[in-house]
Each structure stands twice: as structure tokens, then as C-alpha cells.
């Protein structure tokens, strides 16, 4: 990661503990980064922790007075698009649904950003997205094809349970063990 100005190396133990608590366990992806744009589209260099839990992408900020807080979150069910523009800026769009709509904009810095895209895409597929039609998949633009393979590249077995659990999480309800066991 040397020379990678977008991603910062050190995530403190207290930050890791906070992330594990809000994610309900170890996250799929965790990075401290410098955002490229604020919520109004203006250039910024704000530091954020981005964590991908089993069903949500969390944007976490360390506020001086109140400490760590989840500022925005997007559920995988609301993942609308991932776009890489001509200025090498990756934008991940979440539509309004589980929470407010939001966009996270990160400068394209390989290999960490590529890993982020691949992990987010795999999480969407692994939690039931592979059962949906291609038309319902998040729109992908400007990204290398190897980072966002088609649904045929992912195993289908067990996706019914994953989709059930993702939708239960989306509607803020715990999965019923008896229902999960029916699909297993």
C-alpha cells in the first residue's frame, strides 16, 4: 500500500472494535480512506472508515467530540450502480430504501479500490443477488470486467437462504431459524 494516498494504513484497535460491534462480527472489507467528494459533490479530503458487513456498506467518521459514528449506510439490496469515470473516480450509488440514498466517491487506487469493488460485487451475489435477473443487477460502468463477473461465475447453491436472510435484514427482522433450515 505504499504510495497509495487514498487508503490509510492504520486502523486503531478501538476503531476495529467499533466496526466489529456495528457489523455484528468481522467485516468483509475494512479500510480507512480519504473521500474524494462530500455529499454535495464538492472536492474534499475527509477521512472515513469504510466497512462492508454481511449486508451493509457503512461509512464511519471519527468525530472530535462524540467519537466514532456511522454517518451513512447502504444495504446491498439498495446497491444501484458502481461507476468509474474519466477522472479515475469510483462512485458507488445506493438508492433510497433501507436508509437514505447516498453515493460514496473514492479515487481509483489499485489494488485496494479494485479489492473493494470485487468484494462488494461478490457480497451482492453471495447474499442472493445471483438469483435476480441481470436487469436487476447493479449498473456497472467503466470497471474492468474481471472485477464484476456475470452471475454465471458464482455458485448458485444456498443462495435462497442468503437472499432470505438479506431481505429479513433489510426489513429489520431477524431470520427465523425454522425457515432457514427449510432451505438448507
Amino acid at each position: 500500500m505504499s504510495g497509495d494516498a487514498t487508503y490509510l494504513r492504520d486502523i486503531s484497535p478501538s476503531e476495529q472494535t467499533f466496526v466489529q460491534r456495528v457489523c455484528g462480527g468481522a467485516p468483509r472489507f475494512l479500510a480507512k480512506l480519504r473521500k474524494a467528494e462530500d455529499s454535495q459533490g464538492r472536492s474534499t479530503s475527509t477521512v472515513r472508515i469504510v466497512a462492508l458487513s454481511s449486508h451493509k456498506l457503512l461509512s464511519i467518521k471519527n468525530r472530535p467530540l462524540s467519537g466514532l459514528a456511522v454517518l451513512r449506510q447502504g444495504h446491498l439490496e439498495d446497491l444501484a450502480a458502481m461507476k468509474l469515470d474519466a477522472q479515475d473516480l469510483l462512485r458507488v450509488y445506493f438508492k433510497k430504501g433501507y436508509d437514505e440514498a447516498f453515493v460514496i466517491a473514492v479515487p481509483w487506487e489499485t489494488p485496494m479500490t479494485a479489492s473493494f469493488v470485487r468484494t462488494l460485487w461478490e457480497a451482492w451475489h453471495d447474499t442472493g443477488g445471483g438469483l435476480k435477473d441481470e436487469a436487476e443487477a447493479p449498473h456497472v460502468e467503466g470497471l474492468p470486467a474481471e472485477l464484476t463477473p456475470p452471475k454465471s461465475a458464482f455458485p448458485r447453491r444456498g443462495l435462497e437462504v442468503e437472499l432470505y436472510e438479506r431481505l429479513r435484514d433489510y426489513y429489520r427482522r431477524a431470520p427465523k431459524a425454522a425457515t432457514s433450515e427449510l432451505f438448507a
Side-chain angles (χ1 to χ4, degrees), residues 12-22:
S12 71
S14 64
E15 291 169 335
Q16 289 178 1
T17 301
F18 178 82
V19 167
Q20 287 184 348
R21 188 169 44 84
V22 297

Side-chain angles (χ1 to χ4, degrees), residues 6-7 90 106-118 147:
T6 300
Y7 292 90
L90 171 70
V106 182
W108 183 262
E109 302 264 349
T110 55
M112 188 64 99
T113 309
S115 174
F116 171 61
V117 168
R118 178 66 185 214
L147 296 179

Side-chain angles (χ1 to χ4, degrees), residues 38 41 44 66 73-74 81 134 140 156 169:
D38 65 12
T44 185
S66 58
Q73 61 183 337
E134 290 290 334
V140 176
R156 185 182 161 101
D169 182 73

Side-chain angles (χ1 to χ4, degrees), residues 120-131 149-151 154 159 166:
L120 187 58
W121 188 251
E122 287 175 356
W124 186 84
H125 272 280
D126 291 348
T127 60
L131 292 174
K151 73 178 186 177
F154 294 92
L159 286 181
R166 179 170 96 184

Side-chain angles (χ1 to χ4, degrees), residues 72-150:
R72 297 175 191 257
Q73 61 183 337
H75 199 281
L76 289 175
E77 192 66 22
D78 293 327
L79 180 60
M82 294 187 289
K83 298 179 182 179
L84 182 62
D85 65 17
Q87 291 80 31
D88 283 343
L89 191 63
L90 171 70
R91 287 187 174 87
V92 179
Y93 296 85
F94 288 88
K95 61 187 176 190
K96 183 175 178 157
Y98 180 82
D99 213 341
E100 292 299 314
F102 86 99
V103 177
I104 187 164
V106 182
W108 183 262
E109 302 264 349
T110 55
M112 188 64 99
T113 309
S115 174
F116 171 61
V117 168
R118 178 66 185 214
T119 304
L120 187 58
W121 188 251
E122 287 175 356
W124 186 84
H125 272 280
D126 291 348
T127 60
L131 292 174
K132 296 186 173 200
D133 293 331
E134 290 290 334
E136 294 179 278
H139 177 70
V140 176
E141 185 179 309
L143 293 168
E146 64 270 10
L147 296 179
T148 57

